[in-house]
Amino acid sequence: MNTTNLGVALVTGASTGIGRATAKTLQIAGFRVFGTSRRVSAGRSDGITMLSCDVTDDGSVAKLVDEVLAQAGRIDLLVNNAGIGLLGGAEESSIAQAQALFDVNVFGVLRVTSAVLPTMRRQGTGRIVNLSSVLGLIPAPYFALYASTKHAIEGYSESLDHEVRSFGIRIVLVEPAYTRTSFEDNLAKPDQLLDIYDSVRAGMNVILRKAMETGDAPDVVARTILAAATASRPRRRYAAGKIARQVSFLRRFVPESAFDKSLRKQNGLPV
Ligand SMILES: NC(=O)c1ccc[n+]([C@@H]2O[C@H](COP(=O)([O-])OP(=O)(O)OC[C@H]3O[C@@H](n4cnc5c(N)ncnc54)[C@H](OP(=O)(O)O)[C@@H]3O)[C@@H](O)[C@H]2O)c1
């Protein structure tokens, strides 16, 4: 039986992958954990309370926060994990599709964060962990729209951290590399495919599949999220796993032209 009490945590997208592992890791560490899914029928039997939420829906997010407050009275930690991917040439997606992606990965984070901040301000304490990606740090050919959402989360999180720090609230980023989850199965397909990208898109799918197979276990990211959630003096960003740490280091210290060449090589593009 867990005797520590680290407070109340809310994890979006806790039905699978990183969110699911994170909910369990936080619960074992001593948080009372609420997780979300768009499809909740019965709660989990492992001590995590599952609630329904679609982060693209203002009403659904407001109802979620009301429900957590009704049951637990406070929210100490929010993990904005819910997210989806999209692989294809940037010009292969309509504006509507790009907006739909941003609605989950960016505006979803804004919605849940803005709904939780008044509670954290009242409490005078709180921590928000936003799931970015190494693709929030580097260019990502054929992942341009997804990478844009994660670059947006980086800028939003760092800026917001300065706005709310004086209220006792900190915003931190966790940046995983490839992680073995349902991410690949849940990738959106471009809605205006162009023949010119067929072969390179197929190649990227193969590269992604291989990278996912050898990627980190979701537990690696979950442990990083726990560290980011509980550090008394949190860093702005936490790379999750060895590859993510390497990418983050190389991005900062390798000259741009060398980084450019290496990135093209890694992605099977002519150098
Ligand atoms: N896997 C990787 O290689 C990787 C690498 C870097 C960063 N990330 C990031 O890590 C996070 C988790 O990804 P994952 O790999 O664990 O993916 P996943 O296994 O596909 O899980 C995605 C989660 O997001 C939820 N979700 C999707 N759309 C939603 C919406 N509109 N409203 C509410 N929840 C929604 C899903 O819940 P329901 O379908 O049950 O609603 C699911 O629980 C994402 O932000 C992703 O960008 C992943």
Side-chain angles (χ1 to χ4, degrees), residues 17-77:
I18 292 169
R20 186 180 174 86
T22 299
K24 192 67 211 160
T25 299
L26 294 173
Q27 193 252 338
I28 290 168
F31 282 95
R32 177 175 177 189
V33 182
F34 292 85
T36 79
S37 166
R38 284 164 298 176
R39 299 168 289 261
V40 173
S41 42
R44 277 163 68 164
S45 56
D46 58 358
I48 288 144
T49 307
M50 288 298 284
L51 299 171
S52 163
C53 180
D54 183 337
V55 299
T56 66
D57 179 333
D58 291 348
S60 174
V61 169
K63 194 162 160 267
L64 166 73
V65 174
D66 286 350
E67 185 62 40
V68 176
L69 291 177
Q71 289 194 37
R74 57 186 295 118
I75 301 173
D76 299 283
L77 170 68

Side-chain angles (χ1 to χ4, degrees), residues 13-18 37-39 53-56 81-84 104 131-133 146 150 176-179 181-183 186 212:
S15 57
T16 55
I18 292 169
S37 166
R38 284 164 298 176
R39 299 168 289 261
C53 180
D54 183 337
V55 299
T56 66
N81 165 77
I84 51 169
V104 180
L131 263 289
S132 175
S133 164
Y146 175 74
K150 295 303 185 182
Y178 294 113
T179 311
T181 68
S182 322
F183 183 78
N186 294 333
M212 294 296 283

Side-chain angles (χ1 to χ4, degrees), residues 85-211:
L86 169 60
L87 189 155
E91 58 174 319
E92 293 191 291
S93 287
S94 66
I95 293 297
Q97 183 172 42
Q99 285 172 332
L101 182 74
F102 271 75
D103 209 16
V104 180
N105 289 7
V106 180
F107 298 115
V109 173
L110 264 67
R111 270 186 202 95
V112 185
T113 300
S114 296
V116 164
L117 278 176
T119 298
M120 290 185 170
R121 274 194 280 104
R122 262 197 309 278
Q123 294 169 178
T125 177
R127 178 89 35 106
I128 300 179
V129 177
N130 288 337
L131 263 289
S132 175
S133 164
V134 289
L135 302 192
L137 302 175
I138 63 171
Y142 309 105
F143 263 120
L145 301 181
Y146 175 74
S148 307
T149 66
K150 295 303 185 182
H151 278 72
I153 287 303
E154 293 271 332
Y156 167 70
S157 302
E158 274 207 71
S159 306
L160 181 64
D161 181 54
H162 287 288
E163 294 181 18
V164 297
R165 207 181 293 174
S166 51
F167 302 126
I169 304 165
R170 295 303 305 264
I171 317 292
V172 295
L173 287 152
V174 167
E175 295 153 339
Y178 294 113
T179 311
R180 298 193 305 272
T181 68
S182 322
F183 183 78
E184 191 190 350
D185 301 333
N186 294 333
L187 280 179
K189 310 269 176 299
D191 63 356
Q192 46 186 39
L193 293 171
L194 298 173
D195 298 351
I196 187 87
Y197 292 115
D198 280 352
S199 70
V200 76
R201 199 184 327 98
M204 284 305 295
N205 270 305
V206 172
I207 290 175
L208 177 65
R209 177 141 314 145
K210 281 195 185 134

